[in-house]
Amino acid sequence: MNYQNTLDFAQKQDQEDVLQHFREKFHLPTQLHKQVIYFCGNSLGLQPKNVRSYIEKELTLWQDYAVEGHFVGDHPWMDYHKALKKPMTTIFGAKAHELTVMNSLTVNLHLMMATFYRPTATRYKILMEAGAFPSDQYAMESQAKLHGFDYEDAVVEIAPREGEHTIRTEDIITTIEQLGNSLALVMFSGVNYYTGQVFDMPAITKAGHNTGAYVGFDLAHAAGNVALKLHEWDIDFAVWCSYKYLNSSPGGVSGVFIHEKNATNTSLPRLAGWWGHNEERRFLMERGFQAEPNVDGWQLSNAQVLLQAAHLASLEIFAEAGMPNLIAKSKNLTSFLEFVIQEVTKEAHFPIEIITPNEARGCQLSLHVPQEGKKLFDYLHQNGVIGDWREPNSIRIAPVPLYNSFEDVFRFGQILQEAITKLQAPLRST
Ligand SMILES: *Cc1c(COP(=O)(O)O)cnc(C)c1O
């Protein structure tokens, strides 16, 4: 594609965009600035307009039917979580009985560790990426300690090479091979939250399995952002939150994938609750846990209906848009953003480096701004660009294909240009 940094070009792209009308399905924030450019769907997705009616429907059922709401309506609360399975299958490349929603992300990470981190005296190491999201780091640290291991010894982190920002797949594979029999679990993110790097999930999974380890992924920044084939890639388990690209309300319900080869194994150890018990016998209230022979066997509690209603509303928009369309637009939109940033910075001699790898990314670009980064970010923010700042020197910008436009990207470029001109003015006058 031959991109041009002009309003005409951007508007023409928008006219040709098959997903253009999806923007109208979302509330763009009105109280932040007169005109916002919302590039923060990697942190909190916008509110789909249909969410209110989905939640109101359940509130009305609660009002009118109270406890009987468990058995009435299109989606009786008793099995509410089951309504979400099908629309998730295409987003995750998984079978319905491998997917469920429950709890929140870090809780689910710990629940998965209870099953998939079963260290022995010799096989006890966890491999993760250096600079993983802090909650994941703390989860792994506390798991290692809970099992009586020294954190520094048990949790191995793999970092980028000196002078590089992202981790090479070959280095990950070599480290896995070196850890060999000592490796109990490979626990990576699908997309690193800071750099936006998409990890080679199938290659990592294969290498982990070759050593006899389990392999799991935290897909917080991958879910709804990049193409996933969790079943085919043979991943043991994955967890994610629904409030980032999946637009399903702040603190919204978390998702879990457990590969059917594990999920159907009812003898796998786990932390159990009544919503994971054999459905036929759940209300017999008897002693002795019998796991459901699928991912539901890891559920603890009855459905969090209001959060799941918000999630269902959003998943139905994903189903309508279709992941292939979303991925195609995402690639185009993010490449346009990359082009615009390069155009704006190439003459300016203002150091901005895109550290997100071109060949392995979703929609997010992470900009490394070694000097005056915070000032640049503040200028953008004051002028309506909602991205986010990550210490010490990065700005994350995520044009989301469901609701962002090429015109958003063009306008962002204009504001970036102004910001750079402004920051350079005092330099020039001295
Ligand atoms: C956003 C995010 C979290 C947040 O965890 P919560 O339990 O939902 O607060 C955890 N891990 C990763 C990788 C994330 O990106």
Side-chain angles (χ1 to χ4, degrees):
M1 171 82 70
N2 278 325
Y3 293 116
Q4 293 162 24
N5 186 20
T6 64
L7 182 60
D8 268 4
F9 176 83
Q11 288 177 337
K12 188 146 180 295
Q13 289 295 303
D14 284 331
Q15 280 155 20
E16 287 168 11
D17 172 14
V18 294
L19 298 177
Q20 194 197 15
H21 60 286
F22 279 82
R23 184 180 175 92
E24 286 146 32
K25 294 182 188 286
F26 290 86
H27 290 291
L28 282 151
T30 54
Q31 299 298 315
L32 298 173
H33 293 277
K34 277 204 295 290
Q35 272 199 311
V36 300
I37 301 175
Y38 194 79
F39 281 165
C40 214
N42 55 336
S43 190
L44 182 70
L46 292 180
Q47 182 184 139
K49 289 180 181 163
N50 64 349
V51 157
R52 191 174 291 269
S53 69
Y54 275 67
I55 292 181
E56 261 171 13
K57 190 168 151 193
E58 303 313 321
L59 287 175
T60 306
L61 277 179
W62 182 19
Q63 178 181 312
D64 295 345
Y65 290 85
V67 72
E68 305 282 317
H70 286 95
F71 313 105
V72 300
D74 308 339
H75 304 302
W77 301 336
M78 188 76 109
D79 285 329
Y80 201 94
H81 61 281
K82 291 190 181 169
L84 292 96
K85 290 175 185 279
K86 180 143 191 307
M88 287 198 294
T89 54
T90 49
I91 300 175
F92 294 97
K95 300 184 182 181
H97 71 127
E98 295 174 316
L99 295 164
T100 196
V101 290
M102 58 185 188
N103 315 313
S104 52
L105 171 52
T106 309
V107 171
N108 286 339
L109 196 50
H110 280 295
L111 290 180
M112 293 303 105
M113 299 296 280
T115 297
F116 296 101
Y117 183 54
R118 310 281 303 158
T120 66
T122 54
R123 188 187 275 279
Y124 61 91
K125 300 212 181 205
I126 302 172
L127 178 69
M128 62 191 304
E129 86 250 36
F133 194 88
S135 204
D136 300 49
Q137 293 183 35
Y138 307 149
M140 296 308 120
E141 174 180 348
S142 58
Q143 284 285 339
K145 289 177 177 168
L146 192 64
H147 287 281
F149 292 98
D150 173 29
Y151 165 51
E152 297 296 338
D153 178 37
V155 179
V156 181
E157 292 187 354
I158 166 140
R161 292 185 189 181
E162 188 72 35
E164 297 183 4
H165 293 291
T166 49
I167 309 170
R168 297 192 193 193
T169 305
E170 61 197 272
D171 291 355
I172 300 172
I173 306 295
T174 312
T175 308
I176 290 173
E177 286 166 2
Q178 282 164 355
L179 289 167
N181 288 336
S182 70
L183 191 60
L185 175 70
V186 180
M187 184 68 229
F188 258 66
S189 61
V191 176
N192 180 271
Y193 81 102
Y194 189 90
T195 63
Q197 176 181 16
V198 180
F199 292 111
D200 188 338
M201 290 173 253
I204 293 171
T205 305
K206 195 152 176 261
H209 285 167
N210 283 344
T211 70
Y214 279 122
V215 182
F217 286 91
D218 184 330
L219 301 176
H221 282 263
N225 177 28
V226 298
L228 296 168
K229 293 186 180 160
L230 303 185
H231 178 86
E232 189 183 314
W233 295 343
D234 203 26
I235 287 168
D236 288 297
F237 68 92
V239 288
W240 56 89
C241 52
S242 65
Y243 50 81
K244 292 173 179 168
Y245 296 104
L246 295 177
N247 315 313
S248 301
S249 84
V253 71
S254 162
V256 177
F257 161 87
I258 301 178
H259 197 283
E260 68 182 356
K261 70 183 178 186
N262 302 318
T264 53
N265 182 353
T266 53
S267 62
L268 277 180
R270 71 195 70 195
L271 296 175
W274 73 320
W275 236 248
H277 188 72
N278 177 351
E279 275 181 25
E280 315 276 279
R281 307 188 67 83
R282 190 185 285 156
F283 282 89
L284 298 179
M285 307 298 201
E286 58 200 356
R287 272 171 61 85
F289 176 71
Q290 300 168 11
E292 270 288 291
N294 55 59
V295 68
D296 291 0
W298 274 261
Q299 290 176 160
L300 300 182
S301 302
N302 71 97
Q304 298 152 285
V305 172
L306 298 185
L307 294 180
Q308 293 186 8
H311 197 23
L312 183 60
S314 176
L315 289 175
E316 296 198 341
I317 296 178
F318 273 84
E320 195 187 330
M323 278 314 280
N325 286 334
L326 284 167
I327 303 287
K329 176 172 173 188
S330 176
K331 288 193 168 141
N332 196 5
L333 195 60
T334 296
S335 297
F336 183 50
L337 174 63
E338 178 181 36
F339 171 81
V340 166
I341 293 170
Q342 282 162 353
E343 284 293 293
V344 168
T345 51
K346 90 178 166 205
E347 315 241 289
H349 305 295
F350 188 89
I352 294 183
E353 184 189 352
I354 298 174
I355 62 172
T356 310
N358 176 288
E359 68 294 345
R361 69 186 182 200
C363 72
Q364 171 187 326
L365 293 184
S366 300
L367 313 181
H368 179 78
V369 193
Q371 289 153 35
E372 312 221 68
K374 187 61 174 44
K375 280 193 191 153
L376 183 76
F377 175 77
D378 289 343
Y379 185 92
L380 294 172
H381 191 261
Q382 281 150 20
N383 288 279
V385 176
I386 313 297
D388 64 17
W389 172 253
R390 284 291 173 266
E391 294 293 345
N393 50 27
S394 286
I395 298 173
R396 298 188 306 174
I397 296 289
V400 169
L402 266 177
Y403 47 74
N404 283 122
S405 64
F406 289 83
E407 188 171 339
D408 284 341
V409 171
F410 170 75
R411 285 175 45 224
F412 165 79
Q414 299 291 292
I415 298 169
L416 181 64
Q417 178 110 58
E418 287 165 25
I420 290 173
T421 309
K422 212 160 181 121
L423 288 175
Q424 283 185 325
L427 297 177
R428 267 204 299 273
S429 63
T430 53

